[in-house]
Amino acid sequence: MTMRQNGSEVLGEATLDEWARDLRGEMIQPGAPGYDEARSIWNGAHDRRPALIVRCRGVADVLKTVALARGEGLPLAVRGGGHSIPGFSTVDQGIVLDLAPMKGVRVDPGRRTVTAQGGCLWGDVDAETQAFGLAVTGGLISTTGIAGFALGGGLGWLVRRFGLTSDNLVGADVVTADGRYLHAGGDEHADLLWALRGGGGNFGVVTSFEFRLHDVGPTVFAGPVFYRGEDAERVLRGFRAAAPTAPDELTLAVNLATAPPVPFLPEEIHGKPVVVVLGMWSGDPGAGDAATRPFRELAPAVVDLFGPMPYLAMQCMLDPLYPRGMWNYFRSAFFGDLDDTTIGAFLDAYAQAPNAVSELHIHHLGGAMGRVPADATAFGTRDRDFILNVAARSMDADGFPATIEWARAATGVLGPNAAAYVNFTGEAGEDRVRASYPKDTYERLVAVKDRYDPANLFRLNQNIRPSAAR
C-alpha cells in the first residue's frame, strides 16, 4: 500500500515495505482492519486520519519511526495514553508513533524507584508500586498515560506531600530527533532531564521513566463529600479559611458540578447543582478523620463518603466520569487566593455552565510542590496556592463551541496573563505556552530545544519553538 497526502504519494509501497521489514510492532494504514480503532483517541473532539500508525514494541521501533518521519519530512505525533486534550496524540496525513504496547513496569523496592515504559497508564504503575506499599504522585484518572502527564508536571492526590510527578522524575531514556538514544539522569544530560520535568514532549520520545517512590497505602483516608449547589458560596468561603492549615499529607479539590444519577446520591438531587469536596489524606489512616473533618463540615452535607479505602480505589474513583469519546476542552489558570471577587466570579461561571458534564475544579496546591526551588525544574508556576481547571465537555459536537467559550470566559476572570498549566490547556498557541513559564524558564527551554530538536520535529505538543523557527 502507498501512503498518500492530499492525493499525492507520500511513500511508495516498496519504500514502506523495506522500512517495515525489521519492525517488531504493528504498522497500520488507512483501509487496514482496525485502522479506525487505532486512530481514535480519548478526546472525541479530534477525528484525524494519520497516513501511518506504528504501534511500537520497543526502542528499536521508536528509532525506526523517528527516522522515517525525519527522513520523509512528515509530521510526527507521539502517543502515550492518548489523553491529549488538544489532540496532539494524532495527526492528519502524518505518522502516529504509538507507545501503547510498551507497558513494562519494574519496581526496585530497595532503591524505592520504579521504571516504567512510555506506554504505561497510571493504573499500570499504581498496581505494581502498591504491591510494595509505594507510590508516586499520579493522575486523577487511572487511564491517563504516564508520559504526557509527567512531562507536563503532574498534579495528583499526593502533590502536596511529595510534589509533582515531574519533581519525582530522576531518570529518562529518550530517543532524540537526530536518532540518538540517550539517558537523562544524574550527571548525564542534566539539561535534558531538567527540561523533561515540566517542559512537555518537546525534546524527544521518552521510552521509559524512572520515578522516586514513597511510602503510601495500601489504605488511605479519602473520598468525596457532596454539598448542595445553593451552598456553593458558603463552601468556598469555608474552604478558603481551612486550606491554609491543611497538613502536607492532605490534598483537596472543590468541584462545582452537576449531580450524576448514581445510587449513592438521593434521587431528588440527580441533575441538580452540587459542590463536591474531594481529597486524600495519605498519612496515618487513623488520623484521617480528624484531618479531613474541617472540609467535610463546610455546610450541611448531602452525603459524606470519606473514609478508609485502598489507595488504588481512590486512584480510579473518577474513571467512570471521564469515558473515552466525549468532546473535551480544558482550560486552566493558577491563582493565589480565593478572595471574595474570585469566589464571585467562579460562582457566576458555575451558574452559566453550558451542560451537566461541564465543571469547575479548584485544586489546593502548595505543600511540597511549593517548596521546590523555582529553577530546579522546568515546571513554571509554584508560587500560587490554587489552580482553576475548567473541564468543558459535551457528549458530541452539538453545543461544543459554546462550551469552549464558557471555559475561556471562566479562566479569563483571573486575567489575560494568568499562568496556565500545559497539561490542562485545550488549544495550541505560543501565547498560551509562554504564559505557562516564567521568561527565564522559557528561554532556558528554548536553549534545550535548540540542542536536541533544532528543526522542531517534535512540534505536536505545547510547543517550545527552537530559535530557528522563531
Side-chain angles (χ1 to χ4, degrees):
M1 183 175 290
T2 300
M3 289 175 60
R4 294 185 174 274
Q5 185 173 19
N6 299 326
S8 300
E9 183 176 302
V10 176
L11 281 178
E13 182 175 355
T15 301
L16 197 54
D17 287 346
E18 181 181 357
W19 174 84
R21 187 171 301 154
D22 298 324
L23 187 73
R24 296 179 60 240
E26 185 180 8
M27 182 179 72
I28 306 173
Q29 297 174 268
Y35 173 75
D36 284 336
E37 180 180 359
R39 71 183 179 88
S40 70
I41 61 173
W42 175 80
N43 188 355
H46 305 288
D47 182 21
R48 295 175 184 155
R49 303 190 68 84
L52 180 67
I53 301 167
V54 185
R55 294 174 58 83
C56 298
R57 287 186 59 190
V59 173
D61 288 350
V62 175
L63 288 163
K64 284 176 65 68
T65 306
V66 170
L68 180 67
R70 181 182 66 245
E72 300 299 328
L74 294 171
L76 179 65
V78 180
R79 179 186 300 173
H83 270 232
S84 169
I85 303 300
F88 295 137
S89 305
T90 187
V91 63
D92 279 323
Q93 299 301 323
I95 300 174
V96 171
L97 190 162
D98 190 352
L99 296 168
M102 299 175 59
K103 292 190 185 298
V105 180
R106 182 174 60 83
V107 179
D108 186 331
R111 294 181 59 236
R112 301 169 69 82
T113 61
V114 59
T115 301
Q117 289 184 301
C120 289
L121 309 181
W122 277 111
D124 302 321
V125 174
D126 288 339
E128 296 296 327
T129 58
Q130 275 295 281
F132 303 94
L134 300 169
V136 63
T137 305
L140 303 182
I141 310 296
S142 72
T143 58
T144 305
I146 69 169
F149 187 89
L151 294 173
L155 298 172
W157 295 125
L158 297 174
V159 68
R160 285 179 40 79
R161 187 176 183 191
F162 299 122
L164 300 160
T165 311
S166 58
D167 295 338
N168 292 279
L169 180 64
V170 295
D173 294 328
V174 187
V175 173
T176 59
D178 60 2
R180 288 180 292 166
Y181 180 56
L182 307 177
H183 181 75
D187 296 328
E188 304 175 85
H189 301 285
D191 60 338
L192 179 57
L193 181 61
W194 173 87
L196 294 174
R197 299 170 80 185
N202 277 281
F203 313 99
V205 183
V206 181
T207 59
S208 69
F209 297 78
E210 184 182 5
F211 297 111
R212 181 187 307 112
L213 295 173
H214 308 275
D215 291 320
V216 176
T219 300
V220 294
F221 195 93
V225 56
F226 289 79
Y227 300 102
R228 297 183 184 276
E230 54 261 37
D231 288 325
E233 182 174 359
R234 178 178 173 182
V235 170
L236 288 176
R237 288 175 179 271
F239 190 86
R240 174 183 66 190
T245 61
D248 288 0
E249 294 89 344
L250 182 60
T251 298
L252 295 149
V254 180
N255 289 6
L256 304 178
T258 301
V262 290
F264 56 79
L265 289 177
E267 286 190 17
E268 64 267 21
I269 206 171
H270 291 180
K272 302 289 181 62
V274 289
V275 184
V276 191
V277 176
L278 304 98
M280 177 190 291
W281 166 263
S282 59
D284 176 6
D289 180 73
T292 58
R293 188 161 294 281
F295 298 92
R296 294 156 48 212
E297 298 178 342
L298 299 174
V302 176
V303 61
D304 181 356
L305 300 176
F306 268 84
M309 68 172 65
Y311 174 79
L312 291 175
M314 185 60 180
Q315 282 295 92
C316 64
M317 176 180 288
L318 300 179
D319 288 6
L321 301 179
Y322 291 86
R324 187 182 184 92
M326 289 181 64
W327 288 47
N328 292 268
Y329 175 88
F330 288 7
R331 189 90 170 180
S332 66
F334 292 94
F335 63 100
D337 184 34
L338 271 170
D339 57 30
D340 290 348
T341 300
T342 302
I343 288 175
F346 290 169
L347 293 176
D348 288 344
Y350 179 37
Q352 298 168 28
N355 54 49
V357 292
S358 293
E359 303 176 348
L360 301 175
H361 301 165
I362 302 161
H363 293 257
H364 184 216
L365 305 176
M369 172 189 166
R371 291 191 291 271
V372 175
D375 61 352
T377 75
F379 189 81
T381 305
R382 296 184 184 273
D383 61 346
R384 300 288 186 271
D385 286 338
F386 299 94
I387 184 172
L388 172 67
N389 290 327
V390 184
R393 307 189 292 161
S394 62
M395 302 306 296
D396 50 36
D398 187 29
F400 190 60
T403 70
I404 292 175
E405 292 307 312
W406 172 75
R408 290 173 175 167
T411 56
V413 301
L414 295 173
N417 299 316
Y421 174 36
V422 291
N423 282 356
F424 270 33
T425 300
E427 72 281 295
E430 186 173 5
D431 289 347
R432 296 304 300 163
V433 176
R434 284 181 175 270
S436 301
Y437 301 100
K439 183 177 183 299
D440 289 347
T441 300
Y442 185 84
E443 293 303 324
R444 189 174 169 185
L445 284 167
V446 170
V448 179
K449 182 75 168 179
D450 287 346
R451 180 176 180 186
Y452 293 97
D453 186 21
N456 209 14
L457 175 66
F458 300 109
R459 60 185 179 273
L460 293 181
N461 44 50
Q462 296 298 351
N463 195 224
I464 306 295
R465 297 174 65 193
S467 298
R470 298 172 77 182

